[in-house]
Amino acid sequence: MDAEGAELVACADLDADAAAEFADAYDCAAYTDTAEMVDDADIDAVSVCTPSGTHADVTVEAARAGAHVLCEKPLDVYADRMDRMIDACDEAGVTLAGVFQKRTFDSAQRAKRAVDDGELGDLVLGDAQVKWFRSQPYYDSGEWRGTRDMDGGCLLNQAIHYIDMLQWLGGGIESVQAMTDTLARDLECEDTAAIALRFSNGALGTISATTATKGGGDRIELNGTDGSLALAGDSITEFRVGTGEESHYSAETEARDVDIAPQEWGEGHAAFVADFVDAVREGREPMVPGREARKAVDIILAAYESSDRGERVALEEIRDR
């Protein structure tokens, strides 16, 4: 799907054959060096789609060569690497954005308005569930998959979109207490995780994630003092608010009408790229600037540390290192 305002002119890959194959398929120039590509092909911006643990190195190279950077999730897999990315882009005066395309969905935008406008009252609970299947051959398909230095497990690779959504909708996470384990797959990192949360506004919540189940799904639920809202896929599946009629044991609610158009595959990415292009042209921040994109990773890094230490970890501990 084409993104308005963006034109693909070149690609870079350490594997010259892979770069040439991509270039042939998409009619662009091929390189094996990011900085050379930016300089030689007169590149304005790069989209970083390499393995997660290489994002910092590629971003720093591109920024120092003068290119704006749109980086796929996660920003990187360690806090110090994300620091390097953000600092390099700041020093070069270029824009850094992280890709969380689910934020562009009509359902996500409506949910954000519901929270911000107080339709749910004060947030009490916020939960995310990501219960998916990834086979062992999936992890075996690349040496980098499932490794700590290059990928991470079900949290950094799969659940991160929903973790970002939950923290964005709920107003940020203050601390986590987590258990992670590798229960059904052969990889360095976790295939299953359970996390208890405290939001910055005092609300509580949970994240449960796995890539080792069959028949699961994904869902985000927000519960407030005046209403509840749930999202699954690209839809709002429940949105109810109180009528004011209540007793000791129950409260009447009514459904809020929502008119949410289904998303075509790739539509979210196209919208995200278009926003990035506009941000660069207008000199404004993109939808998810680098410091915002790192928040979901910080939550996961805190969860990793909490699981190792067996105790609650505040996100400030991760950010202040």
Side-chain angles (χ1 to χ4, degrees):
M1 182 174 288
D2 292 334
E4 186 175 347
E7 179 185 0
L8 177 64
V9 296
C11 69
D13 195 302
L14 293 176
D15 184 331
D17 291 337
E21 182 179 351
F22 184 93
D24 287 343
Y26 294 97
D27 190 26
C28 66
Y31 296 85
T32 56
D33 181 88
T34 301
E36 180 186 356
M37 176 188 70
V38 172
D39 182 59
D40 186 63
D42 194 24
I43 298 295
D44 296 314
V46 300
S47 175
V48 179
C49 305
T50 57
S52 301
T54 66
H55 287 179
D57 289 341
V58 176
T59 295
V60 171
E61 287 179 21
R64 288 175 176 170
H68 304 280
V69 180
L70 178 64
C71 184
E72 276 291 338
K73 60 82 183 170
L75 207 57
D76 204 288
V77 298
Y78 288 110
D80 61 329
R81 295 182 186 176
M82 294 189 292
D83 289 339
R84 283 201 296 122
M85 299 168 74
I86 293 168
D87 290 345
C89 290
D90 284 348
E91 290 167 6
V94 298
T95 298
L96 172 62
V99 177
F100 283 114
Q101 74 276 6
K102 288 184 179 295
R103 290 197 189 191
T104 70
F105 291 4
D106 289 346
S107 54
Q109 292 294 318
R110 180 64 183 92
K112 182 64 171 170
R113 290 196 302 274
V115 174
D116 291 349
D117 293 347
E119 292 180 79
L120 304 183
D122 296 327
L123 187 66
V124 175
L125 285 171
D127 305 297
Q129 298 178 352
V130 184
K131 301 178 180 181
W132 289 354
F133 175 82
R134 293 292 185 273
S135 67
Q136 188 60 48
Y138 165 83
Y139 289 106
D140 296 340
S141 65
E143 292 183 357
W144 62 279
R145 288 194 181 279
T147 64
R148 180 64 190 91
D149 285 345
M150 296 294 286
D151 188 23
C154 66
L155 292 174
L156 272 170
N157 198 336
Q158 284 80 28
I160 189 168
H161 280 292
Y162 297 84
I163 293 171
D164 172 71
M165 282 276 286
L166 185 63
Q167 72 85 20
W168 173 60
L169 292 172
I173 304 298
E174 184 271 332
S175 62
V176 306
Q177 184 141 8
M179 292 186 293
T180 66
D181 209 339
T182 310
L183 301 178
R185 300 288 179 263
D186 181 15
L187 68 156
E188 285 185 13
C189 297
E190 80 290 344
D191 64 17
T192 305
I195 308 172
L197 312 169
R198 182 172 290 278
F199 287 83
S200 300
N201 56 23
L204 303 180
T206 62
I207 297 166
S208 54
T210 186
T211 50
T213 190
K214 297 179 180 179
D218 50 69
R219 174 182 171 89
I220 289 176
E221 184 169 340
L222 303 170
N223 306 104
T225 53
D226 290 331
S228 295
L229 184 150
L231 303 102
D234 60 3
S235 301
I236 292 178
T237 57
E238 180 183 3
F239 188 2
R240 303 192 67 85
V241 297
T243 64
E245 296 296 323
E246 56 188 57
S247 67
H248 288 305
Y249 299 107
S250 66
E252 290 186 5
T253 61
E254 59 187 10
R256 283 282 165 91
D257 290 332
V258 289
D259 184 15
I260 304 297
Q263 299 286 137
E264 293 184 25
W265 188 90
E267 188 177 346
H269 268 92
F272 214 93
V273 173
D275 172 80
F276 175 70
V277 170
D278 288 345
V280 170
R281 287 176 171 170
E282 297 166 10
R284 62 167 173 84
E285 282 201 330
M287 183 179 296
V288 184
R291 287 178 174 81
E292 176 71 10
R294 74 168 296 162
K295 290 180 180 178
V297 182
D298 287 337
I299 293 166
I300 295 167
L301 296 180
Y304 283 169
E305 186 149 332
S306 173
S307 183
D308 288 343
R309 286 164 41 183
E311 61 187 20
R312 184 181 71 87
V313 172
L315 264 66
E316 289 302 321
E317 296 183 45
I318 303 298
R319 295 172 181 149
D320 289 347
R321 291 176 181 170

